[in-house]
Amino acid sequence: MKTFLGILIFSIVCMAFTFSCKTQQPVDIHQTAITLDTHVDIGANYATEEMDPGIDNPRLRCDLTKMENGGVDGVFLAAYVGNRDDLSVEASQKAHETVMNKIEAMHRLTEQMYPDRSELAVSPDDIERIVKTGKRAIMIGIENGFPIGDNLSRVEEYYNLGVRYITLVHSQHNQICDSSGPDEPLHDGISDFGKQVVAEMNRLGIMCDVSHIAEKSFWDLIEISKAPILATHSGCAELNPHNRNLNDDQLRALAENGGVIQIVALGSFLKAEIPERREAVAALRKELELPGRREMFQMSEEERDALAPKQEEFVKRMEELDKTYPPTGLTDMVDHIDHAVKIAGINHVGIGTDFDGGGGIPGFNNHAEAKNMTDELIKRGYSAEDIYKIWGGNLLRVWRDVAKVAAEIQNQN
Ligand SMILES: [Zn+2]
């Protein structure tokens, strides 16, 4: 009897074990990864009733709801400001005010509007802690160093407000360095003042972002920066020779520097539009008597409403056109990831969408679709370990290294 009971218990244990093995799910890579996006733009009225980042907002590609639904853990919101040829102190003062308003909006989002769903992160440790609570980590970047003006102390002022990267320049030259935008250089790389700005960023632990900078500025930065650098939203020039993209020499230098390139989700950076497609779209608009996108942007709400039936027809016909001339999509973005991995290595590639600043492609139109990226990476043979690195691990490493360098500099002084 005892033996029988023993056998029975043994059998039940075996069966339970087999059953539990069979039902054990494979690791959900997307769910277990810390998924970070290094570049999302925000508008002037962000985090207000008119532009609510808490709801599934049809006017935003990144909001808390889309992040939650798409399993995106953290995002660097960029306080963007442009500049023209006017590099005067007055102009930079105005830019400073714009940036301060946007930074205030990010604090409002995390501290007043949605403290239960989001929290400001100013370190990699913060991110890891916040992610564990189930909240979204919000980080602050500034896109364009122009608002610093000639006032170096602003860098520390920004740091104290939580800013952890500054894109040195935007599409026009500024007082810090040359941009990849204009044909003619202004400083021939990084200016003397720009070198002081970089040293100050190194001292404080603010990451230097090379997206938008001229190639000569890039090489200057590689030489002078004591800390690893990053490109928060760029592509590979080898696949599309756009002035915003990094060439293979730059990718190799970035790897040697310990930095990271965050691949952008902006169609025109990823692939040059084929002329046949451009012409076909123009012809379709003409046939439907539908004005161009820019023209429609300037119309009143009523005027646009009147065009709604035509617009609907346009969308339907575009689906047909997309079949003949496929638009730039997620697979093109992952081609850039593949290339960057091939040249710079798996430890130096990440993701920076540029959502709400021009980014968004079929397959990865907003943060709710982020899992498509993971699925495509799995399809291409990337391991869980690789995907963790691409989605956030590499960025966290770079950030930690930048903070370490800052601590060393401060210890020396
Ligand atoms: Zn940008």
Side-chain angles (χ1 to χ4, degrees):
M1 186 64 193
K2 254 187 188 165
T3 326
F4 173 74
L5 211 68
I7 290 169
L8 186 72
I9 291 169
F10 181 72
S11 310
I12 289 170
V13 169
C14 280
M15 270 163 64
F17 180 73
T18 315
F19 182 72
S20 82
C21 282
K22 273 192 184 147
T23 52
Q24 195 170 37
Q25 295 293 317
V27 187
D28 184 338
I29 297 175
H30 191 71
Q31 204 57 46
T32 48
I34 293 183
T35 44
L36 306 173
D37 178 348
T38 46
H39 201 86
V40 166
D41 280 286
I42 65 164
N45 60 345
Y46 189 76
T48 61
E49 241 171 76
E50 301 94 78
M51 191 54 86
D52 186 347
I55 58 168
D56 185 359
N57 194 322
R59 288 155 75 199
L60 294 173
R61 292 174 191 270
C62 167
D63 55 50
L64 295 179
T65 301
K66 291 188 186 74
M67 288 175 78
E68 286 157 0
N69 292 342
V72 177
D73 295 314
V75 62
F76 260 102
L77 296 178
Y80 157 78
V81 64
N83 70 273
R84 292 172 194 271
D85 294 341
D86 181 5
L87 300 181
S88 66
V89 171
E90 293 76 37
S92 72
Q93 175 61 31
K94 248 180 110 180
H96 170 69
E97 283 154 26
T98 302
V99 158
M100 292 297 269
N101 277 333
K102 290 189 176 179
I103 293 173
E104 206 181 295
M106 298 176 207
H107 281 271
R108 193 163 56 236
L109 164 71
T110 53
E111 289 153 21
Q112 289 165 35
M113 288 181 86
Y114 297 103
D116 49 335
R117 294 164 66 195
S118 65
E119 192 177 330
L120 198 69
V122 296
S123 70
D125 286 355
D126 272 354
I127 293 180
E128 287 171 354
R129 175 182 54 77
I130 293 165
V131 168
K132 275 189 199 138
T133 67
K135 291 190 205 177
R136 306 301 118 183
I138 304 295
M139 292 77 79
I140 308 178
I142 294 180
E143 185 171 26
N144 197 351
F146 178 58
I148 295 166
D150 62 354
N151 186 353
L152 207 57
S153 71
R154 284 221 173 118
V155 182
E156 188 157 5
E157 187 181 344
Y158 296 148
Y159 178 87
N160 290 338
L161 289 169
V163 172
R164 290 299 180 268
Y165 80 66
I166 298 175
T167 313
L168 293 182
V169 71
H170 194 247
S171 47
Q172 296 295 324
H173 304 316
N174 63 16
Q175 75 282 20
I176 295 170
C177 66
D178 289 351
S179 157
S180 65
D183 293 330
E184 291 299 316
L186 177 66
H187 310 286
D188 194 28
I190 298 185
S191 70
D192 287 337
F193 178 71
K195 285 173 188 162
Q196 293 177 44
V197 170
V198 171
E200 184 65 353
M201 287 168 72
N202 283 168
R203 182 184 75 83
L204 291 163
I206 299 180
M207 294 181 275
C208 294
D209 175 17
V210 300
S211 288
H212 290 284
I213 76 175
E215 191 178 344
K216 178 65 169 59
S217 308
F218 174 92
W219 292 114
D220 284 356
L221 186 62
I222 286 283
E223 221 178 280
I224 64 171
S225 177
K226 293 194 171 77
I229 61 177
L230 86 166
T232 63
H233 57 305
S234 292
C236 304
E238 181 66 22
L239 301 190
N240 183 24
H242 191 288
N243 64 18
R244 278 281 284 102
N245 291 340
L246 302 183
N247 62 41
D248 286 357
D249 286 339
Q250 290 176 296
L251 290 179
R252 277 186 280 266
L254 198 67
E256 207 174 306
N257 162 280
V260 63
I261 177 173
Q262 305 281 106
I263 299 295
V264 73
L266 200 148
S268 62
F269 296 171
L270 296 172
K271 205 163 89 180
E273 193 175 36
I274 49 171
E276 289 89 344
R277 181 183 159 89
R278 201 169 38 231
E279 281 159 25
V281 175
L284 179 59
R285 281 191 183 276
K286 207 169 161 199
E287 186 198 322
L288 299 175
E289 293 174 343
L290 196 69
R293 252 196 312 184
R294 203 164 288 175
E295 225 174 301
M296 284 183 68
F297 223 66
Q298 283 155 1
M299 286 179 169
S300 71
E301 207 120 320
E302 293 79 39
E303 284 174 312
R304 248 181 302 183
D305 282 350
L307 288 170
K310 284 183 182 179
Q311 183 66 31
E312 232 167 81
E313 175 69 12
F314 177 75
V315 170
K316 222 174 357 181
R317 297 273 297 274
M318 273 302 288
E319 278 173 27
E320 286 306 304
L321 200 142
D322 282 348
K323 282 179 199 155
T324 319
Y325 309 109
T328 303
L330 176 67
T331 55
D332 297 293
M333 183 177 174
V334 183
D335 286 347
H336 280 251
I337 291 178
D338 281 347
H339 182 79
V341 168
K342 193 177 99 191
I343 303 299
I346 188 67
N347 296 323
H348 305 281
V349 185
I351 291 162
T353 58
D354 209 0
F355 283 160
D356 301 319
I361 46 176
F364 197 9
N365 260 309
N366 57 58
H367 274 155
E369 298 181 347
K371 193 172 176 295
N372 291 346
M373 166 58 75
T374 305
D375 291 344
E376 181 65 23
L377 291 170
I378 293 170
K379 211 166 109 190
R380 296 198 188 195
Y382 287 95
S383 69
E385 217 55 46
D386 293 341
I387 294 169
Y388 293 160
K389 287 179 178 180
I390 292 171
W391 257 126
N394 290 334
L395 175 78
L396 292 174
R397 184 204 70 237
V398 170
W399 192 349
R400 284 203 163 95
D401 287 348
V402 169
K404 211 170 100 192
V405 170
E408 281 163 12
I409 294 171
Q410 288 176 26
N411 275 340
Q412 281 162 15
N413 297 338

